[in-house]
Amino acid sequence: MGRDTLTGSRIRERRLMLGLRQAELARQVGISASYLNLIEHNRRKIGGKLLLNLARVLAVEPSMLTEGAEVALLASLREAAAGLPRPIAELDKPDEFAGRFPGWAEVLAQQQQRITGLERIVQTLSDRLTHDPQLAASMHEVLSTAAAIRSTAAILAEPGELDPEWRDRFHQNLNQDSQRLADSSRLLVSFLDESDTGDERRGVPQEDVDRFFADAGYHFPALEQAKPEAQPALIAEVIADASSLLSEAARLIAREALQQYCADARAIPLEPLQDILNARGFDLDHVAHRFRCDMATVLRRVGLLPEAMLGQAVGLVVCDASGAILFRKSAPGFILPRFGASCATWPLFTALTRPQEPLRRQVVQHSRGDHGYECFAVSWPHRAIGLDRDPLYRAVMLIVPSKEVAPQAQVVGASCRVCSYNRCAARREPSLLREEF
C-alpha cells in the first residue's frame, strides 16, 4: 500500500492517544470538524500548512504522520491477536509480519474489521430488540400472524370433510394471513437492514444523527458562510460525506436538522450574535429583540454555538407534541435518556402546554444536587395554521449549567425507570433504584 494512504488514520490515532475531541482539534487548526472527519477517514489528502499545523497540535513530527508505521493496519493486527482466547501470536512483531506479508496482513486486518462490525451489529440489534417499541411491535405482528396461519392450516389438515362454505372461508383467511405475514416480514427486514449495498447494517437513525452532529461539534461554518441559494447543494454534500449517517432515514433526519440550522443562522448572523453574548451574556430577550425573531430561533441558535464562543458547554433538546425527542445535545452532568420517555417535569414539556410562551426555570436533577441548571424553553408551531388545519407544535429547551444550585430549583429526573425520586407526582412506573440512590 502507498505510504501516504493512511495519513488520516495516523492523525486519528494520535488524537485519540492525546484524548482530544475531533471538534477541539479542528478548532485549533482552523478547519471544520466535518472536514477533519473526512481527513481522518482518508477521504481527503492533506499537506503543506495544514499538515504542519496538525503535527504541531498533535506534538509530532510531520514525517510521523506521512511516513510512519501504518498505524491502522498494525492496530487491527494487534486487536485480532488480543481477541483470541489465549495469546498464541507474537504480539510484539506485527510490523515485521506486515512488512514481510503485506497482502496477508491486509486480509487479516479486514477480517478483524468485519468481525468487529458484526459484533457491533449484534449489540445494536440486541439493544433495539430490548428497547425499541417499533421493532417489538413488528416482531409481535410477525409471530402473531405465523401462529394464526399455523392454526388455520391445522384445521384444514384434520381428517374428515369440511363444509364447503367453511373450507372456502378458511382458505381465504389463510391467503390473507399469508399476505400479511409476507408484508410484515418484508417491512421488518427493511427496518433492520435498509440496503444490501452498504458496508455496514444500520443503527438507530436518530442515534446516527446525534453522532453526526457531535462529530461536527454542532457547528457548520461552511453552511453559515454560504449564500442561501447555495446552501441546499452544500447540505447535500455534507450529508453525502458523513460517514456516521449509515441509513437513508438518518440522512433524511439530518437534512431537516441542517435546513433548520441554516434558517436559524440566516435569522441570527454569527458575528453580531457573538458581540451581544460577549457584552451582555445570556440576555436572550435582547437577542430576540435585536434580530426581530422568535424565542425558539434564539434558543436553537444559541444552543448550537461553539463552546469557545459561549465560554461554557450548554445543552439543547427538541421534541414534538408527542414528547418524542427529535434532537439532543447533552449539557455537562445533565442526564438525557438514550431509550424510553424522558422526565415529564422538564420545562421542555411544560412549554408544550403553553404555546409560544417562553419559560425560564432553575432545575436540579434528583440525586445530583451539586449540578444546577438554568433552563429556557418555548414551543412553536412547526407548520402554518389554517381554518381546517390544526397546529403542530414542537418545543425546544436550552440547558445552561449554573455555578450553584438555586434554593428554589425545581427537582427533575431523567426517566422514571432510572429516577429514585419516588415522591414525584409525575411518576408513571416504578423505578429500578431505591430512594437512597
Side-chain angles (χ1 to χ4, degrees), residues 123-403:
Q123 182 178 3
T124 299
L125 294 180
S126 176
D127 284 345
R128 293 174 71 179
L129 282 169
T130 305
H131 301 285
D132 194 323
Q134 181 179 352
L135 182 57
S138 299
M139 289 292 296
H140 178 74
E141 173 71 14
V142 169
L143 295 176
S144 298
T145 306
I149 292 174
R150 177 69 182 87
S151 299
T152 304
I155 293 174
L156 291 172
E158 288 181 355
E161 290 292 330
L162 276 176
D163 183 272
E165 181 180 351
W166 279 103
R167 184 183 59 206
D168 292 342
R169 186 177 299 179
F170 280 130
H171 282 152
Q172 183 179 6
N173 291 342
L174 189 62
N175 177 64
Q176 292 174 350
D177 288 340
S178 299
Q179 183 63 44
R180 192 165 81 249
L181 178 61
D183 293 341
S184 299
S185 301
R186 184 169 57 253
L187 290 174
L188 182 60
V189 170
S190 176
F191 184 68
L192 294 175
D193 186 1
E194 294 181 7
S195 173
D196 293 333
T197 61
D199 293 332
E200 295 186 49
R201 284 192 168 91
R202 312 314 193 198
V204 179
Q206 187 61 55
E207 292 185 7
D208 292 342
V209 175
D210 292 342
R211 190 180 308 112
F212 163 67
F213 272 86
D215 289 344
Y218 301 94
H219 186 55
F220 301 88
L223 292 179
E224 301 213 18
Q225 297 166 7
K227 295 181 179 179
E229 59 271 17
Q231 286 176 341
L234 192 55
I235 288 175
E237 182 180 343
V238 170
I239 291 175
D241 290 338
S243 60
S244 56
L245 300 178
L246 302 177
S247 67
E248 183 59 28
R251 287 188 282 272
L252 288 174
I253 296 173
R255 182 176 294 108
E256 181 181 352
L258 290 177
Q259 288 170 348
Q260 183 69 73
Y261 179 95
C262 290
D264 294 341
R266 291 194 298 270
I268 307 178
L270 189 62
E271 293 186 3
L273 174 59
Q274 183 173 11
D275 294 338
I276 293 175
L277 294 175
N278 291 339
R280 307 176 69 102
F282 283 90
D283 190 345
L284 303 181
D285 283 331
H286 181 78
V287 175
H289 177 74
R290 164 67 176 78
F291 295 101
R292 298 183 179 181
C293 60
D294 57 77
M295 187 57 68
T297 301
V298 174
L299 298 186
R300 292 192 303 264
R301 182 64 167 145
V302 173
L304 296 183
L305 289 178
E307 182 178 337
M309 179 180 297
L310 293 174
Q312 66 178 116
V314 300
L316 188 75
V317 185
V318 178
C319 75
D320 62 15
S322 72
I325 302 300
L326 307 179
F327 184 90
R328 72 188 74 209
K329 175 191 175 187
S330 60
F334 193 94
I335 301 175
L336 299 178
R338 180 183 176 192
F339 296 108
S342 305
C343 177
T345 61
W346 285 0
L348 174 74
F349 304 121
T350 304
L352 285 171
T353 68
R354 305 179 184 180
Q356 297 178 275
E357 179 183 332
L359 305 174
R360 174 162 54 186
R361 297 287 187 272
Q362 301 286 340
V363 306
V364 59
Q365 282 196 315
H366 182 67
S367 77
R368 302 179 69 83
D370 55 341
H371 292 78
Y373 303 90
E374 190 170 22
C375 293
F376 306 84
V378 69
S379 61
W380 80 96
H382 180 57
R383 72 175 182 182
I385 304 172
L387 293 176
D388 300 317
R389 186 166 60 179
D390 295 330
L392 288 177
Y393 280 97
R394 290 185 177 181
V396 58
M397 179 171 70
L398 176 67
I399 309 169
V400 182
S402 302
K403 294 183 179 179

Side-chain angles (χ1 to χ4, degrees), residues 339-341 414-420 427-433:
F339 296 108
S415 182
C416 284
R417 293 291 280 169
V418 293
C419 177
S420 59
R427 176 168 294 284
R428 55 184 171 265
E429 60 179 327
S431 174
L432 296 172
L433 307 176

